[in-house]
Amino acid sequence: MGSPVPHSVAVLALPDSMAFEVGLPHRFLGGAVDADDRRLYRVQVATLDGGPVRTSAGYSILPEHDASILATADTVVIPGVYGGTVMTDGTLPPGLGELLHTTACSARMVSICTGAFVLAAAGLLDGRPATTHWMHSAAFGRLFPRVDLDPDVLFVDDGDVLTSAGNAAGIDLLLHVVRRDHGSEVANRVARRSVVAPWRDGGQSQFIERPVPDAGEAGTAATRAWALERLSEPLSLAELAAHARMSVRTFTRRFREETGLSATQWLVLQRVALARRILESTDTPVERVATEAGFGTTASLRQHLHAAIGVSPLTYRRTYRGPVAHSM
């Protein structure tokens, strides 16, 4: 058999694009490979006319392509933009809205940060859930009232249109795309190479009240690491607090300050992530997956997995499992 044809990704760099975000797809999609080290995505950067564009960082980029590559792309990524008419009055350069509408008929559309303004100005987010950077959510809401904007989450996956918050959340979204396309093992390899968290749930808050503990203050990181090794056990809040050598009240406060989540919410997310990895990479029976992931019963696993991603364990295994070897 010949080599698989890589998924074609076109990154459209508009004037005043965020330079950092223009490079994210190449790093996190272009860096995804299969078990034989074959690239799974072909990432190309384009501008509208193929000429240079000035980025928000103060320097220009000169891509090798113009916007004609969007016609054959499987996925189009719109990096964030800073300033311009799209953010002040919701208008696009002539012809861009029509181009994006045509492209969206055959390609998956992805925006990072304020790239959502571009998709919204083209009418591609009307009546759909979406997000953008929380600092620009008020302006976004005034310009695009028909969009179901959630300014608090890291990213939104609405099937063929996906949007993310700030540039770090763009990394989360791109890893989510890899995971959705090829499974957790491939996405985790990409994350490890870039030394970033392999999985943060899209519904996680964009910001937390105090992301860094005060100097000298004992945190909950050690307890989180301890809990990750014991997800199959029925961990209680009192046990977690005791491990951290804190009162339940203090532990609860500090845990939320450091993660943006309650300890219970965090445990559920970690258990869902573990269940997904087991479902993708092994033939372990669902009853045993429920036990190993700490849900106890298949009914509980089914309930939490459906709440997180909308499918049952068996459906997830059939739909999202990558090309992995069967367990012995």
Side-chain angles (χ1 to χ4, degrees), residues 145-162:
R146 288 187 287 183
V147 179
D148 182 13
L149 181 70
D150 187 341
D152 296 326
V153 298
L154 293 179
F155 62 81
V156 173
D157 180 345
D158 195 38
D160 58 344
V161 178
L162 301 90

Side-chain angles (χ1 to χ4, degrees), residues 46-70:
T47 57
L48 289 175
D49 60 2
V53 294
R54 188 171 176 81
T55 69
S56 63
Y59 60 81
S60 296
I61 58 174
L62 178 60
E64 296 181 349
H65 304 279
D66 60 26
S68 64
I69 67 170
L70 271 64

Side-chain angles (χ1 to χ4, degrees), residues 136-148:
H136 302 287
S137 61
F140 188 99
R142 289 193 300 270
L143 291 172
F144 310 112
R146 288 187 287 183
V147 179
D148 182 13

